Amino acid sequence: MEDDLLIAMDLVDELEDAGISVAGPARTVKEALRMIELQEIDAALLDVNLQDEDSYPIAMVLQQRGLPFAFLSGHAAAALPPEFAGQQMLQKPVLPATLTSVIESLLGGVS
């Protein structure tokens, strides 16, 4: 989930170059919820701050379903709500190798 189209396209390219199949990106909470309902999701990357909302509702759904995810943030000290304390947080910009490594760890080593 990423609201900036250029960043989203870059993330998708990096993941696909690493052989990881990408279902998104979703740019809004509504799009992401629809995607979760209609597609099989194995793991997710969630930009914390979206244009007029945040990704916490999506994180809650993923957490309830037992689906692994990590947050992305362009803010140096993005503080997560208590229900997500300890959830992995990547700082943007993220290196392709780091991104791939995090997704592979979320997938349990299988991409």
Side-chain angles (χ1 to χ4, degrees), residues 26-71:
R27 296 179 66 198
T28 66
V29 169
K30 184 177 178 178
E31 284 178 27
L33 287 172
R34 182 165 169 78
M35 191 173 290
I36 291 168
E37 290 301 319
L38 297 177
Q39 297 183 39
E40 186 174 326
I41 305 293
D42 296 320
L45 290 172
L46 306 175
D47 183 6
V48 173
N49 296 308
L50 307 170
Q51 286 186 355
D52 296 326
E53 54 193 350
D54 60 51
S55 63
Y56 300 136
I58 301 307
M60 191 66 86
V61 169
L62 294 170
Q63 198 172 56
Q64 290 169 351
R65 293 180 180 206
L67 295 171
F69 63 94
F71 288 108

Side-chain angles (χ1 to χ4, degrees), residues 2-106:
E2 171 62 61
D3 62 335
D4 183 302
L5 185 57
L6 293 177
I7 293 172
M9 290 171 42
D10 190 42
L11 292 170
V12 168
D13 286 346
E14 290 171 6
L15 291 169
E16 288 179 342
D17 286 349
I20 297 169
S21 178
V22 179
R27 296 179 66 198
T28 66
V29 169
K30 184 177 178 178
E31 284 178 27
L33 287 172
R34 182 165 169 78
M35 191 173 290
I36 291 168
E37 290 301 319
L38 297 177
Q39 297 183 39
E40 186 174 326
I41 305 293
D42 296 320
L45 290 172
L46 306 175
D47 183 6
V48 173
N49 296 308
L50 307 170
Q51 286 186 355
D52 296 326
E53 54 193 350
D54 60 51
S55 63
Y56 300 136
I58 301 307
M60 191 66 86
V61 169
L62 294 170
Q63 198 172 56
Q64 290 169 351
R65 293 180 180 206
L67 295 171
F69 63 94
F71 288 108
L72 293 167
S73 179
H75 300 284
L80 296 174
E83 60 267 30
F84 305 118
Q87 192 67 42
Q88 189 162 14
M89 170 73 77
L90 300 171
Q91 294 296 173
K92 292 191 282 186
V94 60
L95 295 172
T98 302
L99 183 66
T100 301
S101 175
V102 167
I103 288 294
E104 288 175 348
S105 73
L106 291 175

